[in-house]
Amino acid sequence: METNGLLFAIGRTGGRARRVAGGVSTSDVLVSAHISGNADVFPEILALHVPAGSTVADVTWGKGVFWQKVPRSRYNLKATDIQMGVDCRSLPYDNHSIDCVVLDPPYMEGLFRKSEAHMAGGGTHSAFRANYSNGKATAEGGPKWHAAVTDLYFKAGAEAKRVLRPEGTLIVKCQDEVSANRQWLTHVEIINEYERLGFYCKDLFVIVRTNRPVVARLKKQEHARKNHSYFLVFVNTTKRKYRTAQRSRHPRP
């Protein structure tokens, strides 16, 4: 008897089923680390974690780079971003109405400034600002520096939790950063907070740049320059088996 790729054989005593691993040996599998671009890896992540025909809300659409190599007929795609007037922290969807949410907000604290003149991505890097920001200064009174980055991720994650159906998928793009001469492991902060919200981190992909970054006005290097980013795949679930597994790995004080 074969079920879900596993073979079950009946033992000689007691009539109990003995589970035997099935399948075939292969190296043709999706791996976790890639020296590539987002547009090459994203379709493979979708194919692994999001069934065809799913309703997918990309809530930080930008230029739609992730979707360049995804057949549009494969998913029911809803594309929005802040420049379209839709904030990822306040989505126009009903509760539990979306199968998958894709989130890729600005992950550089330099894009959160009280003055547009001080924002990152000026001059020859204006295309970066256009892809990852609405180009507007951050409102007064909000979090500053790296805290502004995580505040956006956390609030957007809570909103994704609201609109996702049970067992729905949240795909998050992020990158660690050095801010105020301090190392911030953003992907760890996101995983911990999203677990608190009721997500299970099912998968993680590392994307390494194909070219070397250039740093202007470097006097003395204190930290390794980031040339990699992450795709994190979460499942909207409160099932006991996931929550128990997470608590056993990360016991709370």
Side-chain angles (χ1 to χ4, degrees):
M1 177 173 61
E2 182 172 357
T3 305
N4 295 330
L6 296 174
L7 297 177
F8 289 85
I10 304 299
R12 293 184 177 180
T13 59
R16 294 182 179 180
R18 178 170 55 88
R19 191 168 79 169
V20 180
V24 296
S25 298
T26 180
S27 61
D28 186 18
V29 294
L30 179 59
V31 296
S32 60
H34 301 257
I35 303 176
S36 187
N38 295 325
D40 294 318
V41 180
F42 184 69
E44 297 190 74
I45 297 174
L46 284 178
L48 181 62
H49 292 291
V50 185
S54 296
T55 297
V56 181
D58 187 328
V59 299
T60 45
W61 175 255
K63 303 298 182 181
V65 173
F66 290 176
W67 296 88
Q68 290 178 350
K69 299 183 179 181
V70 179
R72 295 303 172 87
S73 61
R74 184 173 177 82
Y75 299 101
N76 174 23
L77 176 60
K78 297 178 180 294
T80 60
D81 59 32
I82 194 67
Q83 294 189 9
M84 299 178 191
V86 180
D87 193 317
C88 61
R89 295 164 290 190
S90 180
L91 298 173
Y93 308 126
D94 293 335
N95 295 349
H96 316 306
S97 61
I98 303 296
D99 298 312
C100 173
V101 170
V102 178
L103 177 66
D104 179 30
Y107 45 71
M108 286 178 55
E109 58 88 6
L111 293 174
F112 297 87
R113 289 288 187 270
K114 304 303 180 184
S115 169
E116 293 181 22
H118 297 159
M119 289 176 62
T124 58
H125 295 86
S126 59
F128 183 86
R129 185 188 298 184
N131 286 343
Y132 287 95
S133 168
N134 64 354
K136 303 298 182 182
T138 305
E140 293 288 342
K144 298 179 180 180
W145 313 111
H146 178 73
V149 176
T150 53
D151 181 73
L152 177 54
Y153 270 102
F154 295 170
K155 290 178 179 176
E159 181 67 350
K161 174 76 174 177
R162 180 187 70 81
V163 304
L164 276 172
R165 64 169 177 79
E167 305 299 322
T169 302
L170 172 59
I171 302 175
V172 178
K173 185 71 190 301
C174 66
Q175 182 173 325
D176 301 333
E177 69 170 347
V178 173
S179 174
N181 204 35
R182 180 176 175 180
Q183 181 81 253
W184 298 95
L185 300 180
T186 310
H187 78 285
V188 176
E189 296 178 88
I190 292 172
I191 291 171
N192 288 339
E193 175 64 14
Y194 283 17
E195 177 190 343
R196 189 190 68 79
L197 292 174
F199 286 103
Y200 159 62
C201 188
K202 184 180 180 182
D203 223 338
L204 178 150
F205 297 85
V206 181
I207 313 301
V208 180
R209 287 178 54 163
T210 57
N211 59 347
R212 292 185 62 84
V214 176
V215 181
R217 300 187 300 275
L218 177 65
K219 293 183 178 180
K220 180 182 178 183
Q221 185 169 358
E222 299 287 348
H223 303 86
R225 177 70 177 182
K226 302 292 184 292
N227 70 330
H228 70 283
S229 56
Y230 304 90
F231 276 108
L232 307 176
V233 180
F234 296 92
V235 176
N236 176 24
T237 179
T238 55
K239 280 188 175 181
R240 183 177 299 276
K241 65 179 181 180
Y242 292 129
R243 301 290 290 181
T244 302
Q246 288 293 295
R247 283 196 297 268
S248 65
R249 287 197 298 271
H250 306 289
R252 298 186 184 279

